[in-house]
Amino acid sequence: MKKIIVFSVLSILLISCSGKNNEMPPAAPPTLPVLNIVKSDALTSTEFPVAIQGKADIEVRPQVNGTLEKIFVDEGAYVTKGQPLFKINDNAYRQQFNNAKASLRAAEASLINAQIEVDKLIPLVQNKMYSEYQLRTAKSNLSIAKSNVEQAKSVLNNAQINLDYTLIHAPINGFIGRLPRKQGSLVGPQDPEALTKLSDIKEVYAYFSLSENDFLNFKKQYEGSSIAQKIKKMPAVSLVLSDNTEYEHKGNVDMVDGQFDKTTGAITLRAKFPNNNGLLRSGNTGKVKINVNHANAIVVPQEATIEIQDKVYVFLLDNNNSVMRQPIIVSGKSGTNYLVEEGIKTGDRIVLKGFENLPDGAKIIPENTKKEVAKL
């Protein structure tokens, strides 16, 4: 019996010692990189869809009716101001011109005869060989002859204009658009479709729209007492093409529309871009990118945040190195960074990464990082 009791006591002691040996020591706090919040300058950008037009997009239309006799250019060709583009058959207009010229010559001859008659009657009336009435009649006929000459000149000038209109020249330098009317077509000023469109694209205009709120922000961002002064303070803007590449030349906003569109509630702005290489054409699409400088802004990397139910959070450290999930209000983006409007301040510390499974109140060992917030 004594042996059984001693064995039992020894067993209990062994089990007790074995339990103490299996207990795990408490886990050490994780070492995580921490970012000190400081103010810095940041650059944000906003993109707006644009429609691109040439500096001048001119419809070329006939001024007289007739048959399209010749087309001197091809679609897409570059032409210079004054270069012939189209020829309308001029037979009828040349005949009108010749008739008007003949009528002018007849009127001028009548004028000469009327002047001779007046010159002849003046001395005869002075010598009382003819009555004053005959001289007044001759002078009246002279006035009529002069008026006939002026009228004939006007008819001739009009005929000359119509004849000149049969040869259509390029009004500006530029590129020819499509040619919907072919040789032999009957054309006229009332045609719904132009003969072609001529585009001067050495400079192009990019038109884009701002909402009312965006326009109010635009007016707040730039100094000046007028819109014209504010435009001058704007930095150069970029053009992002349809393939998401950025156009090599910067542009400048040079126009703000005088009123909002009642249908869309937006106002139109225009940016001008150089285009000496002809890369851009009327009808191109893209986006204009406007950069805005923010001085003394608080920025945090997006990787240091987490989004939960449309709210953005950072993991804020207190003086005891305990973390707390802190909501922040984001006012914009600068590259891969957020601009923070509210929620954190200069001097705060946030966990940079590795915070996904940290509960509120968890302690960490901060590892200071020299990571600089990336700038756009």
Side-chain angles (χ1 to χ4, degrees):
M1 188 66 179
K2 290 181 179 180
K3 290 182 179 179
I4 294 173
I5 293 172
V6 171
F7 180 77
S8 299
V9 171
L10 290 174
S11 298
I12 292 171
L13 290 174
L14 288 173
I15 292 172
S16 175
C17 292
S18 175
K20 290 181 180 179
N21 291 335
N22 288 335
E23 287 182 0
M24 296 296 293
T31 300
L32 296 177
V34 171
L35 182 66
N36 293 319
I37 300 300
V38 295
K39 288 187 176 181
S40 62
D41 294 340
L43 185 69
T44 60
S45 62
T46 307
E47 295 182 348
F48 301 93
V50 295
I52 297 174
Q53 296 182 11
K55 183 178 181 181
D57 288 327
I58 298 176
E59 289 186 338
V60 180
R61 292 181 173 273
Q63 300 297 310
V64 293
N65 294 301
T67 302
L68 193 58
E69 188 174 76
K70 292 182 180 179
I71 301 176
F72 298 108
V73 293
D74 197 3
E75 295 175 337
Y78 181 79
V79 297
T80 56
K81 183 178 180 179
Q83 181 177 335
L85 304 180
F86 305 96
K87 180 71 169 66
I88 296 174
N89 186 283
D90 65 357
N91 290 339
Y93 299 103
R94 190 167 296 280
Q95 186 65 35
Q96 292 175 5
F97 175 78
N98 292 334
N99 289 338
K101 185 185 289 186
S103 297
L104 175 59
R105 289 174 180 173
E108 289 173 340
S110 297
L111 175 60
I112 292 172
N113 288 335
Q115 185 65 58
I116 291 172
E117 183 67 17
V118 170
D119 294 341
K120 181 184 73 174
L121 289 174
I122 289 176
L124 295 176
V125 171
Q126 290 175 349
N127 294 327
K128 300 189 183 300
M129 296 177 65
Y130 283 87
S131 67
E132 185 70 27
Y133 172 78
Q134 289 175 303
L135 179 59
R136 288 199 300 269
T137 300
K139 287 182 177 180
S140 177
N141 291 335
L142 177 61
S143 296
I144 293 172
K146 289 179 179 179
S147 297
N148 289 338
V149 168
E150 294 301 319
Q151 185 177 14
K153 285 181 179 179
S154 178
V155 172
L156 179 63
N157 289 337
N158 188 60
Q160 181 68 66
I161 290 171
N162 288 336
L163 182 61
D164 292 341
Y165 278 153
T166 61
L167 184 59
I168 302 173
H169 299 84
I172 59 171
N173 298 339
F175 288 91
I176 295 291
R178 292 188 59 194
L179 300 173
R181 310 305 293 272
K182 305 304 179 185
Q183 188 171 327
S185 301
L186 186 64
V187 298
Q190 304 304 321
D191 291 345
E193 193 171 21
L195 294 176
T196 191
K197 182 177 284 189
L198 190 58
S199 297
D200 180 1
I201 57 171
K202 285 190 175 180
E203 286 183 331
V204 295
Y205 293 140
Y207 292 90
F208 61 99
S209 298
L210 297 183
S211 67
E212 190 170 354
N213 288 338
D214 288 334
F215 185 63
L216 291 175
N217 290 333
F218 157 77
K219 292 195 294 184
K220 293 176 183 177
Q221 287 170 356
Y222 304 106
E223 297 178 356
S225 58
S226 66
I227 295 297
Q229 292 177 354
K230 291 178 182 293
I231 287 176
K232 291 181 180 179
K233 296 291 185 180
M234 287 187 67
V237 297
S238 303
L239 180 63
V240 180
L241 304 178
S242 59
D243 62 354
N244 290 325
T245 61
E246 192 167 303
Y247 183 55
E248 58 181 329
H249 300 293
K250 299 288 186 180
N252 293 288
V253 175
D254 67 342
M255 186 279 293
V256 178
D257 199 350
Q259 58 186 1
F260 282 85
D261 187 300
K262 294 181 180 179
T263 304
T264 62
I267 193 167
T268 300
L269 281 73
R270 183 182 73 188
K272 182 169 63 175
F273 292 87
N275 189 39
N276 292 328
N277 57 6
L279 176 64
L280 303 177
R281 298 294 178 96
S282 293
N284 276 142
T285 58
K287 297 177 182 178
V288 66
K289 183 165 68 174
I290 301 178
N291 295 326
V292 178
N293 289 310
H294 300 268
N296 296 321
I298 292 179
V299 292
V300 297
Q302 293 183 39
E303 64 177 340
T305 66
I306 187 171
E307 188 171 344
I308 303 175
Q309 296 181 347
D310 297 330
K311 290 185 177 181
V312 180
Y313 295 86
V314 295
F315 284 79
L316 187 66
L317 265 71
D318 61 16
N319 294 332
N320 297 320
N321 295 328
S322 298
V323 299
M324 177 184 65
R325 194 169 60 187
Q326 173 67 27
I328 60 174
I329 296 178
V330 175
S331 61
K333 291 183 179 180
S334 177
T336 58
N337 303 321
Y338 281 138
L339 268 71
V340 180
E341 184 176 345
E342 293 181 16
I344 55 176
K345 62 184 183 301
T346 302
D348 286 344
R349 297 178 300 161
I350 62 171
V351 182
L352 187 59
K353 57 184 176 181
F355 47 75
E356 290 81 3
N357 297 319
L358 290 177
D360 281 353
K363 287 184 174 293
I364 70 164
I365 299 174
E367 179 185 4
N368 290 329
T369 177
K370 294 184 179 179
K371 174 182 176 63
E372 293 184 358
V373 178
K375 295 183 180 180
L376 184 63

